[in-house]
Amino acid sequence: MDFISTRDKSNLISGSKAIIEGIAEDGGLFVPRIIPKIDKIESLKNMDYKEIAYKIMSKFLDDFNLEILKESIDKAYDDKFSKKEICSLVDFGELYFLELFHGPTFAFKDMALSILPYLLKQSMEANEEDKEILILTATSGDTGKAALENFANVEGIKIIVFFPEDGVSEIQKLQMRTQEGDNTFVVSINGNFDDAQNGVKEIFNDKEFIEELNEENYKLSSANSINIGRLIPQIVYYFYTYGKLLGDGKIKDGEKINFVVPTGNFGNILAGYYSKKMGLPINKLICASNDNNVLTKFINTGIYDRRKKLALTSSPSMDILISSNLERLLYHLSGGNDLLIKDLMIKLERDGVYELENLDIKDFKGYYANEEEVSESIKKVFEEKDYLMDPHTAVAYSAYEKYRKESKDPRKTVIISTASPFKFPSKIESSLENKIEDKNEFEIINKLGKISKQEIPENIKNLKDKDILHKTKCEKEDIKDIIRDFLLKDEKND
Ligand SMILES: *Cc1c(COP(=O)(O)O)cnc(C)c1O
């Protein structure tokens, strides 16, 4: 299986190399040259998460040693996850919630980041890469913690995470700043997520700086969802869900279902699109956005316009105006028109806007929810179904209601539930009570735990007693210097 750049089809590399590189030299993202097919969907109903993971991932990563891939899957999806099934499907009749937050950091990022270190290690060995890997990651909250947790103390790898000072929740901030592990560094950037993501992207395009790092024996890589090693493991849970519904007798073989995906960087929902192209019976992929609704507009009009102010919402992991992975979808939808993609991405950077005429995007629907609608959804679902949703999931629920109302589509629908409600206590409390009291986050968490009968994860409860280990702040112009400082300081410590 070859991977090619969305901006230059002739740039063709293996899966393991694509995982090491993260992003193509021409600025494009790697995509599979051919999307593989999965047959005998019905057999999924007898398979557990790990077996499905192997079935899917081995199709894409055929240059890997498959025995080792299997071992990696075993190690990644172990009792770090609080559910034996790895994710759980909560059944409310025609509506389901697929909970992807039972991993070590309580957000869906664990689904892929628990295995990425193994994939990266294996890729380095396969390519005889003897440099030390330096992972640079910009985070809107959840990627950062999940990457730190999963890469902590992995030999031969260092990781630096940049988060926007004002763009993540208090719990997310605490989770990152208390991270242990000698190879981990956390920096808050004065700016928003797009600033952080662009700052990090610039480093990946800075040949001179990359050369400087090479001379110090470092090889840059990325844990963001631009890395194909993040996307492939995310395809697994779409197949798992279908198998589970089949096994439980909730759907018939071949019956089409919908997925609603709370979307930021378009990684999760793109994995859903790949699943559909691989043969999974999916009707619509419903793209749910918050007030940063550039994708809603794009899906409905073909115009992508990022020329607005980023709104800071209660779903910070979706506070994004430049959804990187959309580039991959455009590549596939355009039939592999790399020149067109390059042109659009230049326009986006230069003008902040592009328009695609004759956009055929019928696999998708796009809706968004404002803060008030998110609050209403949290309250409604708690009162009617006794179920607490985090604000990201609540955005998806709001989109689901809008879709149902508009389409009258009776098909079974799965809402992807991306974070534990206990990561975002304040918004939930204010939604339920209709008032904001001046209480600390941990008191609110305890209270929510009591009223909901949902279990508060230990590692959220004990955050308040942990030491803050990372205090560095920087301006986005200083990213390079910060990296130099860390690497230098670290050598002196050795
Ligand atoms: C990252 C994240 C999202 C958005 O996922 P994308 O793959 O970036 O679209 C949604 N919800 C939560 C909780 C997240 O952490």
Side-chain angles (χ1 to χ4, degrees):
M1 165 77 68
D2 295 320
F3 289 81
I4 48 185
S5 165
T6 47
R7 299 189 199 178
D8 177 7
K9 276 200 274 210
S10 65
N11 185 357
L12 182 142
I13 61 177
S14 68
S16 62
K17 259 211 122 53
I19 288 174
I20 298 177
E21 300 294 331
I23 190 167
E25 237 175 77
D26 53 43
L29 305 183
F30 290 112
V31 289
R33 196 164 62 83
I34 298 165
I35 299 177
K37 291 273 183 231
I38 297 285
D39 48 15
K40 298 203 211 75
I41 299 283
E42 207 183 353
S43 69
L44 293 172
K45 71 181 183 199
N46 303 316
M47 295 166 80
D48 68 14
Y49 195 89
K50 290 181 205 177
E51 288 167 328
I52 296 176
Y54 180 75
K55 189 180 172 88
I56 303 293
M57 292 174 63
S58 58
K59 288 261 184 195
F60 286 95
L61 301 175
D62 58 359
D63 68 317
F64 276 55
N65 175 322
L66 294 182
E67 260 327 293
I68 303 181
L69 179 64
K70 201 174 249 166
E71 280 169 27
S72 300
I73 290 170
D74 275 342
K75 287 187 212 151
Y77 302 107
D78 66 359
D79 55 16
K80 289 193 282 303
F81 287 80
S82 62
K83 300 270 175 197
K84 195 168 94 321
E85 301 80 12
I86 305 305
C87 47
S88 35
L89 195 61
V90 182
D91 182 349
F92 289 112
E94 75 286 357
L95 169 68
Y96 297 82
F97 287 92
L98 176 68
E99 295 182 347
L100 298 180
F101 55 77
H102 298 294
T105 73
F106 321 111
F108 100 97
K109 303 297 193 292
D110 287 323
M111 301 305 293
L113 280 162
S114 56
I115 193 159
L116 187 62
Y118 295 103
L119 299 181
L120 193 53
K121 277 254 152 193
Q122 212 181 326
S123 300
M124 284 157 67
E125 274 159 29
N127 291 282
E128 295 177 2
E129 180 62 65
D130 52 11
K131 289 196 177 62
E132 192 162 354
I133 295 274
L134 175 64
I135 306 259
L136 280 194
T137 289
T139 185
S140 53
D142 291 326
T143 291
K145 178 60 185 180
L148 289 162
E149 184 72 25
N150 287 293
F151 279 106
N153 299 318
V154 175
E155 216 183 297
I157 297 180
K158 286 197 174 88
I159 169 161
I160 310 183
V161 167
F162 294 92
F163 73 86
E165 175 64 24
D166 299 319
V168 303
S169 85
E170 282 311 306
I171 298 291
Q172 288 176 316
K173 207 179 273 186
L174 267 180
Q175 278 187 302
M176 289 189 273
R177 296 179 73 203
T178 56
Q179 178 66 47
E180 292 167 18
D182 291 341
N183 63 335
T184 65
F185 306 92
V186 179
V187 187
S188 87
I189 273 199
N190 193 5
N192 62 37
F193 174 66
D194 282 331
D195 294 325
Q197 171 155 274
N198 285 336
V200 168
K201 259 194 186 166
E202 274 166 29
I203 300 277
F204 279 90
N205 292 323
D206 186 334
K207 298 217 163 66
E208 225 170 277
F209 188 61
I210 289 176
E211 191 49 41
E212 181 186 329
L213 290 174
N214 282 345
E215 277 163 23
E216 301 286 329
N217 206 36
Y218 287 108
K219 167 105 192 139
L220 264 193
S221 190
S222 159
N224 279 103
S225 60
I226 52 172
N227 193 317
I228 196 78
R230 275 279 300 277
L231 272 180
I232 295 167
Q234 290 178 180
I235 296 170
V236 176
Y237 47 77
Y238 287 91
F239 281 85
Y240 170 82
T241 302
Y242 200 86
K244 175 90 177 129
L245 287 171
L246 271 179
D248 291 350
K250 306 285 183 189
I251 53 172
K252 292 196 226 26
D253 188 27
E255 182 176 336
K256 285 190 174 174
I257 60 173
N258 303 310
F259 284 94
V260 191
V261 190
T263 296
N265 228 349
F266 211 77
N268 194 349
I269 197 166
L270 185 73
Y273 175 77
Y274 281 141
S275 305
K276 181 166 184 179
K277 292 290 143 190
M278 291 167 78
L280 198 68
I282 294 177
N283 176 47
K284 294 287 181 207
L285 291 158
I286 297 154
C287 176
S289 303
N290 63 22
D291 276 318
N292 297 294
N293 53 5
V294 275
L295 287 167
T296 316
K297 178 165 178 190
F298 176 71
I299 290 170
N300 288 310
T301 65
I303 298 171
Y304 193 100
D305 188 353
R306 67 163 171 87
R307 295 170 304 176
K308 56 191 251 173
K309 199 169 174 308
L310 188 94
L312 296 182
T313 73
S314 59
S315 43
S317 299
M318 297 158 67
D319 289 346
I320 294 172
L321 293 175
I322 304 169
S323 291
S324 299
N325 280 294
L326 186 67
E327 178 170 347
R328 288 185 159 116
L329 177 69
L330 297 179
Y331 178 86
H332 295 299
L333 290 180
S334 69
N337 190 342
D338 51 356
L339 292 177
L340 171 71
I341 303 305
K342 192 168 170 184
D343 183 51
L344 292 177
M345 292 306 132
I346 289 171
K347 280 201 181 117
L348 182 63
E349 197 169 319
R350 190 190 55 208
D351 311 332
V353 59
Y354 62 77
E355 177 166 10
L356 254 185
E357 279 160 34
N358 311 321
L359 175 69
D360 179 8
I361 199 164
K362 62 181 180 316
D363 292 332
F364 292 84
K365 289 295 232 174
Y367 300 91
Y368 80 96
N370 62 30
E371 283 302 300
E372 211 177 303
E373 291 168 320
V374 170
S375 288
E376 282 164 15
S377 291
I378 290 174
K379 188 171 161 82
K380 178 175 169 190
V381 170
F382 183 65
E383 285 173 356
E384 288 178 4
K385 304 187 197 299
D386 207 5
Y387 185 70
L388 268 191
M389 298 184 294
D390 96 285
H392 303 77
T393 309
V395 169
Y397 181 85
S398 307
Y400 161 76
E401 287 210 319
K402 290 182 186 186
Y403 171 72
R404 286 277 290 213
K405 198 163 165 207
E406 194 181 284
S407 70
K408 312 269 185 319
D409 177 1
R411 287 185 185 84
K412 300 231 162 45
T413 299
V414 178
I415 291 178
I416 299 211
S417 177
T418 47
S420 160
F422 299 109
K423 272 186 108 158
F424 304 93
S426 306
K427 174 70 175 178
I428 297 177
E429 200 220 16
S430 66
S431 305
L432 297 181
E433 304 257 310
N434 291 324
K435 63 173 192 254
I436 301 170
E437 280 175 40
D438 196 15
K439 265 187 270 166
N440 88 33
E441 298 258 302
F442 293 97
E443 284 172 29
I444 302 175
I445 288 173
N446 278 336
K447 187 173 137 197
L448 292 179
K450 278 193 200 115
I451 61 166
S452 75
K453 302 174 208 85
Q454 270 157 266
E455 207 174 320
I456 309 167
E458 277 306 311
N459 282 339
I460 288 187
K461 271 195 245 171
N462 63 25
L463 265 180
K464 65 176 185 303
D465 306 318
K466 286 191 143 177
D467 294 333
I468 302 288
L469 302 172
H470 304 273
K471 296 179 180 156
T472 310
K473 294 187 179 181
C474 84
E475 300 296 321
K476 64 176 185 284
E477 296 76 25
D478 305 334
I479 291 185
K480 274 194 237 175
D481 284 335
I482 288 279
I483 297 170
R484 288 191 187 102
D485 279 359
F486 277 142
L487 298 180
L488 218 65
K489 205 179 341 165
D490 205 49
E491 265 156 35
K492 284 193 195 129
N493 286 346
D494 279 347

